Amino acid sequence: MTILAAKGPHKPQSPFASESQPTLPPVRLWMLFVSMMVFAGFSLLLAVAARIPSFANSLRDLFGSPNKLQSPGDERSTHLLLLLVCYCSPLLMMFWVSMLRRFILFQQRRLDQRLRREQIEDSEFNMES
């Protein structure tokens, strides 16, 4: 025979009310860092793309403002810069995260060694065996 303990007085609830309210996930520092990097990369790409005459003219057409006259020597250097940023940004992001991770591990290792050394030095002056 099992006895169930009540958690307090039973209150009648609406059949449409949820029994427990879901908890919101905590926003951690790494989530903010990743979202900041993504938005910074996206804004950089938009800033570079806005310098491309065809993209800028399309935006002006979308918002209804008149197009500027294009220069006679239509260069592709801005297109190449945009492609370079698009293709290199994942590699640069991976490099940055890897270097940050190595630095954190290095600092953690130094801290562990220092604490271990202090513990050994303190054990020399301890009366316990």
Side-chain angles (χ1 to χ4, degrees):
M1 179 191 247
T2 56
I3 300 173
L4 298 175
K7 292 185 179 180
H10 181 65
K11 297 178 184 176
Q13 292 183 352
S14 168
F16 302 110
S18 64
E19 291 182 15
S20 64
Q21 300 214 353
T23 58
L24 296 174
V27 176
R28 297 202 171 107
L29 188 61
W30 69 268
M31 293 178 188
L32 291 174
F33 176 71
V34 169
S35 63
M36 181 179 64
M37 293 300 290
V38 167
F39 286 125
F42 186 69
S43 62
L44 175 71
L45 289 176
L46 282 179
V48 171
R51 298 183 67 188
I52 299 173
S54 60
F55 186 80
N57 288 338
S58 298
L59 282 178
R60 285 188 191 98
D61 289 341
L62 179 67
F63 293 119
S65 59
N67 288 339
K68 290 184 178 178
L69 295 175
Q70 291 192 6
S71 61
D74 191 16
E75 296 181 10
R76 294 286 187 180
S77 63
T78 312
H79 286 277
L80 293 175
L81 179 65
L82 180 67
L83 288 174
L84 181 69
V85 170
C86 284
Y87 289 132
C88 291
S89 59
L91 180 66
L92 293 174
M93 179 72 176
M94 183 179 64
F95 179 72
W96 168 250
V97 169
S98 172
M99 293 301 290
L100 187 65
R101 182 176 173 269
R102 284 183 187 206
F103 177 74
I104 290 171
L105 289 175
F106 173 73
Q107 292 295 338
Q108 185 66 37
R109 203 173 314 121
R110 272 185 49 201
L111 178 66
D112 288 344
Q113 287 174 354
R114 191 179 76 201
L115 290 175
R116 204 174 301 124
R117 200 175 323 122
E118 288 176 1
Q119 185 180 15
I120 291 171
E121 290 173 358
D122 288 344
S123 69
E124 292 175 359
F125 298 108
N126 224 351
M127 296 292 286
E128 299 172 1
S129 299

